[in-house]
Amino acid sequence: MFCYQCEQTAKGGCTKVGVCGKKDETAALQDLLLYLSKGLSQVAVAAREQGVEDPAANLFTVKAIFSTLTNVNFDDDRFVALINDCVAKRDALKAKVSGVEFTGPAALVPAADKAGMIAQGKEYGIEKDPELNEDLKSLKQTLTYGLKGVAAYADHAAILGKEDNDLYAKIQELMAATLSTDLTLEQCVEAALECGRQNIRAMELLDDANTSAYGHPEPTEVKLGATKGKAILVSGHDLKDLETLLKQTEGKGINIYTHGEMLPCHAYPELKKYPHLAGHYGTAWQNQQKEFAEFPGAILMTTNCIQKPTTYMDAIFTTGLVGWPGAVHVSNDDFTPVIEKALAMGGFPADTDKSTVMVGFARNAVMSVAGTVIDAVKSGDIRHFFLVGGCDGAKPGRNYYTEFVEKTPADTVVLTLACGKFRFFDKKLGDIGGIPRLLDIGQCNDAYSAVQIALALADAFDCGVNELPLSLVLSWYEQKAVAILLSLLALGIKNIKLGPSLPAFITPNVLNFLVDNYNIAPISTPDEDLKEILG
């Protein structure tokens, strides 16, 4: 295997086993599925040119791509089923296309069994890419990883009934473009920026899905301690799974807790109305092996971010696209096995008090006090805004973000989102004229809210976003973060500081392009970066 799609990749690329826990065989099946998804995309593009649209193939494309994102699915048997489904949908669509001779992944016949598929997949990994130009390869991989993030958000939105055929078409066009052998560097750059633009659309779609179903987030105080009684922990990102579980556990004496990126769910009116949504437990995804082992109830993993279960294998359940061999997978929105397990376990023996945190500062909440914010900036009470967010991870160096936030001056405001906030989410930074200095905007996809806040402030001050007293200090781990970074670049946002390390798939020439055109820079130390930003 060879994989360098995440920030924690070992020595420039994992070659024996992934830092994420992905085995060589699983990596090969993922590579084969991704390759075949590009073939399905090629067929869909050709079909669309002849007026043929296949909604099932469109939705499957994003699910297949999302399945290969870091920490989603580790179950080889599930990948075998996805590969067969991909080819079935490809061939059914291909039968509706006339006059086109398909080759490569659009014609590849997968092996009849898992062992054969694993052998095939080893022929389509990154190291077997025929692209000889390292910079082109770098940009194509950047595009591929960005599309994994876009696919994730598109799938999240589709779960709540929000789909956009134009978005699916663009995802398939860009997936097919990664196979092109005659793209120039300029065309590859434009394709990556187009991926960023499509990610904005995907996040907009998901924002509409979430707020239409559950209302706009409201500033909400969330309990971090436990409540005595039976318990279920929900991790990942899926709001619909949480709602379904809340409905199915009403009156059963089970308290529901959020974990990781589910924390912002407490701010949605239609979710927080359930009294047994008891609070938030734990921190970010990379701490789950310790935190889950100590949780005295059942655990439900949605969307992504699963790690290898340890002593709690019999208590963890997966749903949606998430998979781990040996873990019970629940489907069809029936969480009966999760509920039964929770009832059979001891639960929390007593109440505990571990303070609270505030969430719910998405764009509606922030813009409702925009006048106060603008006046505070004009008066000098607020000197600067920092957006400090992104993915958390286990690699050393991420304490930078804790220290950075702790050292921000008292006349500055910190906006945050995604699981990177767990480095500092419980810090008491005080307020400026009633405006909290630490504002939790939400999940990683709520970068859309952050962008809307920035655009609204720029409009209010009659300036460009890059002229605002706003600095972005971001952390990345997986491919959703790549998609968001491409979105920021597509919007022309400059002076981003990125860490804790730069992507291994970025070549020196591509990095120089980003520095020259966007002034992207790696983080250094909190003191040096604050001095540079604030002058």
Side-chain angles (χ1 to χ4, degrees), residues 268-286:
Y268 287 90
E270 291 302 308
L271 294 176
K272 71 178 183 177
K273 71 180 184 182
Y274 292 91
H276 60 302
L277 181 59
H280 186 79
Y281 172 92
T283 52
W285 68 271
Q286 79 279 0

mmCIF file of all heavy atoms in Angstrom, residues 268-286:
data_model
loop_
_atom_site.group_PDB
_atom_site.id
_atom_site.type_symbol
_atom_site.label_atom_id
_atom_site.label_comp_id
_atom_site.label_asym_id
_atom_site.label_seq_id
_atom_site.Cartn_x
_atom_site.Cartn_y
_atom_site.Cartn_z
ATOM 1 N N TYR A 268 -29.293 23.140 18.005
ATOM 2 C CA TYR A 268 -30.433 23.129 17.076
ATOM 3 C C TYR A 268 -31.749 22.990 17.853
ATOM 4 O O TYR A 268 -31.914 22.032 18.625
ATOM 5 C CB TYR A 268 -30.293 21.983 16.078
ATOM 6 C CG TYR A 268 -29.224 22.204 15.039
ATOM 7 C CD1 TYR A 268 -27.916 21.785 15.256
ATOM 8 C CD2 TYR A 268 -29.522 22.844 13.838
ATOM 9 C CE1 TYR A 268 -26.923 21.987 14.302
ATOM 10 C CE2 TYR A 268 -28.545 23.049 12.871
ATOM 11 C CZ TYR A 268 -27.254 22.620 13.116
ATOM 12 O OH TYR A 268 -26.281 22.829 12.171
ATOM 13 N N PRO A 269 -32.688 23.905 17.657
ATOM 14 C CA PRO A 269 -33.946 23.875 18.427
ATOM 15 C C PRO A 269 -34.678 22.544 18.380
ATOM 16 O O PRO A 269 -35.208 22.078 19.403
ATOM 17 C CB PRO A 269 -34.780 24.988 17.766
ATOM 18 C CG PRO A 269 -33.777 25.940 17.216
ATOM 19 C CD PRO A 269 -32.632 25.084 16.757
ATOM 20 N N GLU A 270 -34.717 21.889 17.208
ATOM 21 C CA GLU A 270 -35.483 20.657 17.078
ATOM 22 C C GLU A 270 -34.746 19.441 17.630
ATOM 23 O O GLU A 270 -35.318 18.345 17.664
ATOM 24 C CB GLU A 270 -35.866 20.424 15.619
ATOM 25 C CG GLU A 270 -36.883 21.425 15.083
ATOM 26 C CD GLU A 270 -38.172 21.421 15.912
ATOM 27 O OE1 GLU A 270 -38.734 20.327 16.115
ATOM 28 O OE2 GLU A 270 -38.596 22.505 16.357
ATOM 29 N N LEU A 271 -33.511 19.610 18.039
ATOM 30 C CA LEU A 271 -32.786 18.524 18.694
ATOM 31 C C LEU A 271 -32.696 18.760 20.199
ATOM 32 O O LEU A 271 -32.885 17.837 20.993
ATOM 33 C CB LEU A 271 -31.380 18.378 18.097
ATOM 34 C CG LEU A 271 -31.325 17.937 16.628
ATOM 35 C CD1 LEU A 271 -29.872 17.917 16.141
ATOM 36 C CD2 LEU A 271 -31.951 16.558 16.441
ATOM 37 N N LYS A 272 -32.436 19.997 20.586
ATOM 38 C CA LYS A 272 -32.266 20.263 22.016
ATOM 39 C C LYS A 272 -33.587 20.235 22.783
ATOM 40 O O LYS A 272 -33.587 20.267 24.015
ATOM 41 C CB LYS A 272 -31.547 21.592 22.232
ATOM 42 C CG LYS A 272 -32.345 22.839 21.915
ATOM 43 C CD LYS A 272 -31.495 24.070 22.246
ATOM 44 C CE LYS A 272 -32.244 25.363 22.036
ATOM 45 N NZ LYS A 272 -31.423 26.535 22.429
ATOM 46 N N LYS A 273 -34.721 20.114 22.072
ATOM 47 C CA LYS A 273 -36.015 20.045 22.753
ATOM 48 C C LYS A 273 -36.207 18.712 23.485
ATOM 49 O O LYS A 273 -37.082 18.595 24.341
ATOM 50 C CB LYS A 273 -37.147 20.262 21.755
ATOM 51 C CG LYS A 273 -37.367 19.110 20.772
ATOM 52 C CD LYS A 273 -38.503 19.402 19.803
ATOM 53 C CE LYS A 273 -38.784 18.216 18.878
ATOM 54 N NZ LYS A 273 -39.857 18.512 17.901
ATOM 55 N N TYR A 274 -35.382 17.716 23.120
ATOM 56 C CA TYR A 274 -35.493 16.420 23.788
ATOM 57 C C TYR A 274 -34.780 16.476 25.136
ATOM 58 O O TYR A 274 -33.550 16.670 25.181
ATOM 59 C CB TYR A 274 -34.881 15.312 22.925
ATOM 60 C CG TYR A 274 -35.652 15.032 21.656
ATOM 61 C CD1 TYR A 274 -35.343 15.692 20.468
ATOM 62 C CD2 TYR A 274 -36.703 14.117 21.659
ATOM 63 C CE1 TYR A 274 -36.053 15.436 19.302
ATOM 64 C CE2 TYR A 274 -37.424 13.854 20.488
ATOM 65 C CZ TYR A 274 -37.092 14.518 19.315
ATOM 66 O OH TYR A 274 -37.799 14.269 18.166
ATOM 67 N N PRO A 275 -35.495 16.306 26.238
ATOM 68 C CA PRO A 275 -34.862 16.438 27.566
ATOM 69 C C PRO A 275 -33.801 15.387 27.842
ATOM 70 O O PRO A 275 -32.927 15.600 28.690
ATOM 71 C CB PRO A 275 -36.045 16.314 28.540
ATOM 72 C CG PRO A 275 -37.107 15.597 27.768
ATOM 73 C CD PRO A 275 -36.940 16.034 26.344
ATOM 74 N N HIS A 276 -33.855 14.257 27.145
ATOM 75 C CA HIS A 276 -32.853 13.218 27.417
ATOM 76 C C HIS A 276 -31.603 13.379 26.543
ATOM 77 O O HIS A 276 -30.726 12.514 26.573
ATOM 78 C CB HIS A 276 -33.446 11.819 27.302
ATOM 79 C CG HIS A 276 -34.009 11.455 25.972
ATOM 80 N ND1 HIS A 276 -35.008 12.166 25.351
ATOM 81 C CD2 HIS A 276 -33.725 10.420 25.124
ATOM 82 C CE1 HIS A 276 -35.310 11.605 24.194
ATOM 83 N NE2 HIS A 276 -34.536 10.549 24.031
ATOM 84 N N LEU A 277 -31.502 14.482 25.787
ATOM 85 C CA LEU A 277 -30.210 14.856 25.188
ATOM 86 C C LEU A 277 -29.436 15.514 26.318
ATOM 87 O O LEU A 277 -29.555 16.709 26.586
ATOM 88 C CB LEU A 277 -30.409 15.810 24.011
ATOM 89 C CG LEU A 277 -29.137 16.250 23.284
ATOM 90 C CD1 LEU A 277 -28.354 15.071 22.722
ATOM 91 C CD2 LEU A 277 -29.456 17.240 22.156
ATOM 92 N N ALA A 278 -28.664 14.693 27.020
ATOM 93 C CA ALA A 278 -28.208 15.050 28.367
ATOM 94 C C ALA A 278 -26.952 15.901 28.422
ATOM 95 O O ALA A 278 -26.711 16.584 29.417
ATOM 96 C CB ALA A 278 -27.987 13.774 29.182
ATOM 97 N N GLY A 279 -26.119 15.851 27.389
ATOM 98 C CA GLY A 279 -24.883 16.615 27.456
ATOM 99 C C GLY A 279 -23.846 16.083 26.488
ATOM 100 O O GLY A 279 -24.139 15.260 25.618
ATOM 101 N N HIS A 280 -22.629 16.553 26.669
ATOM 102 C CA HIS A 280 -21.529 16.149 25.795
ATOM 103 C C HIS A 280 -20.492 15.396 26.615
ATOM 104 O O HIS A 280 -20.143 15.792 27.720
ATOM 105 C CB HIS A 280 -20.884 17.385 25.157
ATOM 106 C CG HIS A 280 -19.836 17.046 24.140
ATOM 107 N ND1 HIS A 280 -20.148 16.659 22.863
ATOM 108 C CD2 HIS A 280 -18.475 17.023 24.217
ATOM 109 C CE1 HIS A 280 -19.027 16.422 22.186
ATOM 110 N NE2 HIS A 280 -18.006 16.609 22.993
ATOM 111 N N TYR A 281 -19.989 14.316 26.020
ATOM 112 C CA TYR A 281 -19.001 13.476 26.695
ATOM 113 C C TYR A 281 -17.754 13.391 25.831
ATOM 114 O O TYR A 281 -17.818 13.092 24.638
ATOM 115 C CB TYR A 281 -19.592 12.080 26.914
ATOM 116 C CG TYR A 281 -18.605 11.050 27.428
ATOM 117 C CD1 TYR A 281 -18.440 10.829 28.792
ATOM 118 C CD2 TYR A 281 -17.848 10.290 26.541
ATOM 119 C CE1 TYR A 281 -17.540 9.867 29.256
ATOM 120 C CE2 TYR A 281 -16.954 9.326 27.001
ATOM 121 C CZ TYR A 281 -16.804 9.123 28.359
ATOM 122 O OH TYR A 281 -15.918 8.186 28.806
ATOM 123 N N GLY A 282 -16.595 13.642 26.435
ATOM 124 C CA GLY A 282 -15.329 13.450 25.733
ATOM 125 C C GLY A 282 -14.939 14.631 24.869
ATOM 126 O O GLY A 282 -15.503 15.726 24.949
ATOM 127 N N THR A 283 -13.950 14.363 24.005
ATOM 128 C CA THR A 283 -13.376 15.450 23.206
ATOM 129 C C THR A 283 -13.360 15.044 21.734
ATOM 130 O O THR A 283 -14.386 14.716 21.174
ATOM 131 C CB THR A 283 -11.973 15.792 23.727
ATOM 132 O OG1 THR A 283 -11.178 14.587 23.813
ATOM 133 C CG2 THR A 283 -12.032 16.432 25.107
ATOM 134 N N ALA A 284 -12.169 15.049 21.110
ATOM 135 C CA ALA A 284 -12.086 14.813 19.673
ATOM 136 C C ALA A 284 -11.894 13.326 19.358
ATOM 137 O O ALA A 284 -11.609 12.498 20.228
ATOM 138 C CB ALA A 284 -10.946 15.631 19.082
ATOM 139 N N TRP A 285 -12.002 13.023 18.068
ATOM 140 C CA TRP A 285 -12.007 11.633 17.585
ATOM 141 C C TRP A 285 -10.792 10.830 18.016
ATOM 142 O O TRP A 285 -10.901 9.632 18.303
ATOM 143 C CB TRP A 285 -12.115 11.630 16.053
ATOM 144 C CG TRP A 285 -10.881 12.165 15.393
ATOM 145 C CD1 TRP A 285 -10.606 13.465 15.079
ATOM 146 C CD2 TRP A 285 -9.727 11.414 15.012
ATOM 147 N NE1 TRP A 285 -9.354 13.577 14.528
ATOM 148 C CE2 TRP A 285 -8.797 12.334 14.473
ATOM 149 C CE3 TRP A 285 -9.392 10.064 15.060
ATOM 150 C CZ2 TRP A 285 -7.547 11.940 13.989
ATOM 151 C CZ3 TRP A 285 -8.147 9.674 14.581
ATOM 152 C CH2 TRP A 285 -7.245 10.606 14.052
ATOM 153 N N GLN A 286 -9.604 11.475 18.068
ATOM 154 C CA GLN A 286 -8.386 10.692 18.301
ATOM 155 C C GLN A 286 -8.268 10.227 19.747
ATOM 156 O O GLN A 286 -7.395 9.419 20.070
ATOM 157 C CB GLN A 286 -7.138 11.491 17.895
ATOM 158 C CG GLN A 286 -6.661 12.534 18.880
ATOM 159 C CD GLN A 286 -7.434 13.834 18.790
ATOM 160 O OE1 GLN A 286 -8.338 13.966 17.976
ATOM 161 N NE2 GLN A 286 -7.084 14.812 19.607
#
